[in-house]
């Protein structure tokens, strides 16, 4: 900083891509995460299963030492205020690209590592496991013993307090009316966080962390008070698959959840927009989502489905989806739809699907299986052909893992695997689709090639199905950016309104436009 110079650190092995660096406790070295990138790099975004480790580079000698396990996926190192302990997340290699993680701690002087929190197979009321992609940059309490982090816990994201010596975990926000809590920073035991709900934008709140053993109840002071969206309500629904009623201990028998957002009762029975999430190993937590809240303002009810395989419900639930994609996830979504139609004031004749990526894969399967059930469908970056992704996606390993098959870099697909991938793909049954479909795709999508949507679009148009394709030249997989997101939402909303018909009344009592 004084000499205004920049230099590249030497001593990092050539087979590693370094990142997430911080100074070592004595300022004589650098701690960093190194990802193995040979023989070639695989997609890293939303993938916590890539081989990586926590390294220490001694600046004087140039020696680089691996501090974590040799064959694991480690990330997010966080040094305690006294410099004696290093927390980090660790997962298994391969398999699901996101999964339940371990919280590991290294004692700096001895370089001994212990597991503070292990992988949770089956969630309990107290703790469902760790699923966050990173620890907060400042997560340690001043005592260098406790740490605070945020992670999905079923369909919520809660703040958890971890005692690294007692290896215990305390949920600081369980039961709060807000469904999503995120820690921004923890300094001198001052907690700064945001909290939101499906009908309430994020609030900034602060609290002081009490001494150990007296953390509950925690008193939060709002810095701002964002009002809730008038008339919009939400609830969490629990859905039990049929097999779980017969044998609760059977593999894949776990319950799953869905979030229902409802507009004011004056519009009942509401048209319903069904949204299975992408990933597939992701989760719809109960946070503020402007697009979903806007659909409610337009008079639609919205069902966000956390089918088995979603994060926050234990590793066993995640593993249950392997080899069952296109089957279990599709059946779970339809099961959630049938349950909510029985229990809520919804119009069964005005159903629509809105989804992206793997969620769009599920939606397309539903269109082939229920060709007369859904009357509109709007999709973003859809997966329609698993086989075609082998040579075009930045995560070709997932195509094998999704079928329960091991992956290796030199692997060449076999005839039977190719056949299975094609049969599990919605494109194989595209002739059954009769629902109007809107497709939104980014030309620079590395995760799901836009050629997937082009192939599907041509098949639908050739068969006389109403279809429209929107092409975003600079868009990636997430179709992110203010202008792009607004354009996608407006076109999706118009598509739903056009093919479902206008909801009878808007939230203000005026006729919807």
């Amino acid at each position: 900083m004084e000499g205004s110079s920049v230099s590249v650190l030497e001593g990092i092995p050539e087979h590693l891509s370094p990142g997430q660096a911080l100074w070592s406790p004595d300022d004589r070295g650098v701690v960093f995460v190194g990802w193995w990138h040979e023989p070639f790099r695989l997609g890293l975004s939303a993938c916590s299963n890539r081989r990586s480790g926590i390294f220490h580079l001694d600046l004087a000698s140039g020696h680089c030492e691996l501090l974590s396990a040799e064959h694991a996926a480690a990330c997010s190192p966080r040094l305690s205020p006294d410099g004696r302990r290093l927390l980090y997340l660790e997962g298994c290699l391969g398999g699901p690209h996101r999964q339940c993680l371990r919280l590991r701690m290294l004692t700096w002087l001895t370089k001994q590592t212990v597991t503070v929190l292990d992988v949770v197979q089956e969630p309990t009321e107290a703790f469902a496991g760790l699923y966050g992609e990173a620890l907060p940059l400042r997560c340690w309490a001043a005592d260098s013993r406790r740490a605070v982090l945020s992670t999905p816990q079923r369909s919520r994201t809660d703040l958890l307090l971890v005692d690294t010596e007692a290896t215990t975990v305390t949920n600081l926000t369980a039961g709060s009316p807000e469904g999503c809590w995120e820690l921004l920073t923890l300094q001198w035991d001052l907690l700064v966080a945001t909290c939101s709900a499906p009908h309430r934008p994020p609030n900034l709140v602060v609290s002081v962390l009490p001494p150990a053993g007296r953390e509950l109840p925690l008193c939060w002071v709002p810095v701002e008070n964002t009002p809730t969206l008038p008339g919009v309500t939400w609830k969490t629904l629990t859905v039990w698959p049929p097999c779980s009623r017969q044998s609760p201990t059977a593999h894949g028998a776990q319950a799953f959840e869905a979030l229902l957002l409802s507009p004011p009762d004056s519009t009942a029975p509401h048209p319903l927009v069904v949204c299975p999430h992408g990933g597939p190993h992701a989760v719809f937590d109960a946070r503020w989502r402007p697009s979903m809240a806007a659909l409610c303002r337009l008079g639609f009810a919205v069902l966000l489905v956390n089918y088995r395989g979603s994060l926050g419900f234990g590793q066993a639930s995640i593993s249950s989806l392997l080899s069952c994609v296109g089957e279990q996830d599709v059946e779970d979504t339809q099961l959630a739809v049938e349950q909510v139609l029985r229990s809520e004031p919804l119009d069964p004749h005005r159903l629509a699907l809105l989804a992206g990526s793997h969620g769009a894969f599920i939606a397309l399967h539903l269109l082939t299986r229920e060709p007369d059930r859904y009357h509109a469908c709007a999709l973003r970056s859809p997966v329609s052909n698993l086989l075609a992704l082998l040579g075009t996606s930045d995560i070709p390993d997932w195509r094998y893992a999704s079928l329960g098959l091991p992956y290796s870099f030199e692997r060449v697909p076999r005839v039977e695997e190719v056949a299975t991938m094609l049969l599990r793909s919605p494109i194989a049954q595209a002739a059954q689709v009769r629902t109007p479909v809107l497709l939104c795709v980014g030309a620079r999508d590395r995760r799901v090639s836009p050629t997937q949507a082009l192939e599907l679009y041509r098949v639908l148009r050739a068969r006389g199905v109403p279809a429209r394709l929107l092409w975003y030249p600079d868009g990636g997989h997430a179709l992110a950016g203010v202008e792009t997101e607004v354009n996608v939402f407006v076109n999706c909303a118009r598509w739903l309104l056009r093919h479902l018909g206008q909801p009878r009344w808007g939230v203000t009592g005026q006729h919807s436009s």
Side-chain angles (χ1 to χ4, degrees):
M1 295 296 292
E2 293 179 357
S4 299
S5 62
V6 176
S7 58
V8 177
L9 298 183
E10 297 181 356
I12 298 175
E14 292 295 327
H15 64 277
L16 297 177
S17 292
Q20 301 182 3
L22 64 152
W23 293 109
S24 64
D26 52 12
D27 286 346
R28 298 178 181 177
V30 172
V31 176
F32 68 93
V33 177
W35 286 271
W36 275 256
H37 58 230
E38 294 181 353
F40 55 84
R41 293 176 174 86
L42 295 175
L44 185 59
S45 177
C47 296
S48 60
N49 61 342
R50 304 295 180 225
R51 187 184 178 190
S52 55
I54 308 297
F55 292 85
H56 175 236
L57 176 65
D58 186 286
L59 297 181
S61 65
H63 176 66
C64 189
E65 178 186 7
L66 175 64
L67 302 178
S68 57
E70 177 75 26
H71 296 282
C75 68
S76 197
R78 301 291 185 259
L79 194 63
S80 62
D82 62 8
R84 297 181 179 181
R85 295 167 173 174
L86 186 75
L87 276 183
Y88 62 92
L89 297 172
E90 182 184 86
C92 298
L93 298 183
H97 54 256
R98 289 192 67 186
Q99 50 194 284
C100 188
L101 303 175
R102 300 178 187 87
L103 183 65
R104 302 274 282 168
M105 186 175 69
L106 177 140
T107 301
W108 189 257
L109 290 179
T110 64
K111 298 299 187 291
Q112 296 297 310
T113 303
V114 296
T115 297
V116 179
L117 297 176
D118 209 343
V119 171
V120 173
Q121 292 295 327
E122 299 285 353
T124 65
E125 287 296 323
F127 183 49
L130 298 180
Y131 305 90
E133 293 189 78
L135 297 172
L137 288 175
R138 292 181 177 269
C139 62
W140 282 96
D143 58 14
S144 292
R145 167 176 173 167
R146 296 172 296 164
V148 178
L149 52 90
S150 54
T151 185
Q153 300 287 283
R154 295 182 175 85
S155 296
R156 294 176 53 92
T157 291
D158 283 312
L159 294 183
L160 305 183
L161 175 78
V162 180
D163 188 318
T164 61
E165 293 184 5
T167 64
T168 58
V169 58
T170 302
N171 193 321
L172 299 176
T173 54
S176 65
E178 296 82 8
C180 178
W181 291 75
E182 294 182 308
L183 180 68
L184 300 181
T185 190
L186 171 55
Q187 298 186 58
W188 307 291
D189 286 345
L190 178 67
L191 291 159
V192 183
T194 63
C195 57
S196 70
H199 67 333
R200 183 178 185 178
N203 278 343
L204 186 66
V205 295
V206 297
S207 183
V208 175
L209 187 66
R214 292 186 287 171
E215 295 89 356
L216 294 179
L218 199 60
C219 179
W220 293 97
V221 178
V223 177
E224 57 183 4
N225 191 14
T226 307
T228 59
L229 200 62
V232 175
T233 58
W234 68 280
K235 65 174 66 175
T236 303
L237 308 175
T238 301
V239 185
W240 289 92
C243 60
S244 62
R245 300 191 188 100
Q246 301 167 6
S247 177
T249 59
H251 178 68
Q254 305 91 346
F256 61 96
E257 293 180 350
L259 299 173
L260 178 66
L261 284 64
S262 300
D265 290 337
S266 60
T267 61
H270 316 304
L272 177 66
V273 179
V274 180
C275 306
H277 63 70
H281 303 302
V283 64
F284 275 134
D285 59 1
R287 71 176 59 224
W288 168 256
R289 291 180 173 82
S291 59
M292 301 305 172
L295 288 176
C296 284
R297 293 284 290 182
L298 290 173
F300 296 102
V302 180
L303 185 68
L304 307 175
V305 184
N306 288 321
Y307 48 86
R308 284 173 292 171
S310 302
L311 301 179
F313 295 81
Q315 183 62 29
S317 176
I318 294 173
S319 300
S320 73
L321 187 56
L322 301 185
S323 77
C324 296
V325 294
E327 296 176 348
Q328 177 177 290
D329 43 4
V330 178
E331 293 166 1
D332 284 357
T333 301
Q334 187 60 33
L335 187 63
V337 172
E338 299 296 344
Q339 175 171 313
V340 76
L341 287 178
R342 290 192 301 266
S343 62
E344 304 295 330
L346 301 169
D347 188 344
H349 303 295
R350 289 196 294 168
L351 304 181
L353 290 159
L354 176 65
S357 193
H358 188 86
F361 171 86
I362 296 173
L364 287 169
H365 270 297
L366 289 171
L367 295 186
T368 66
R369 300 182 188 189
E370 305 273 350
D372 298 319
R373 195 67 185 276
Y374 297 94
H375 299 282
C377 180
L379 305 176
R380 306 176 313 280
S381 309
V383 175
S384 60
N385 189 332
L386 297 178
L387 176 59
L389 288 176
L390 279 179
T392 59
S393 175
D394 66 342
I395 54 169
D397 57 310
W398 171 240
R399 301 283 66 84
Y400 291 97
S402 65
L403 299 179
L405 301 171
Y407 171 78
S408 60
F409 285 94
E410 69 276 5
R411 181 163 190 156
V412 176
R414 301 173 183 174
V415 173
E416 59 273 18
E417 296 166 355
V418 168
T420 301
M421 290 180 190
L422 183 58
L423 291 174
R424 292 284 183 89
S425 301
I427 195 68
Q429 303 296 326
Q432 307 299 322
V433 176
R434 294 198 286 269
T435 302
V437 177
L438 172 67
L439 302 168
C440 305
V441 294
R444 298 187 177 184
D445 190 344
R446 296 184 179 182
R447 186 62 43 99
V448 178
S449 170
T451 57
Q452 296 261 309
L454 288 172
E455 178 187 30
L456 177 64
Y457 173 73
R458 289 165 180 160
V459 170
L460 296 177
R461 287 296 299 269
R463 301 189 65 83
V465 177
R468 186 185 181 198
L469 187 142
L470 301 180
W471 185 269
Y472 297 89
D474 297 322
H477 185 61
L479 292 174
V482 174
E483 292 185 3
T484 299
E485 290 181 37
V486 169
N487 190 279
V488 169
F489 172 76
V490 169
N491 278 284
C492 288
R494 284 177 173 173
W495 190 262
L496 298 179
L497 290 168
R498 173 184 172 186
H499 294 284
L500 283 187
Q502 298 279 357
R504 287 188 288 179
W505 296 99
V507 296
T508 60
Q510 302 293 322
H511 195 65
S512 301
S513 59

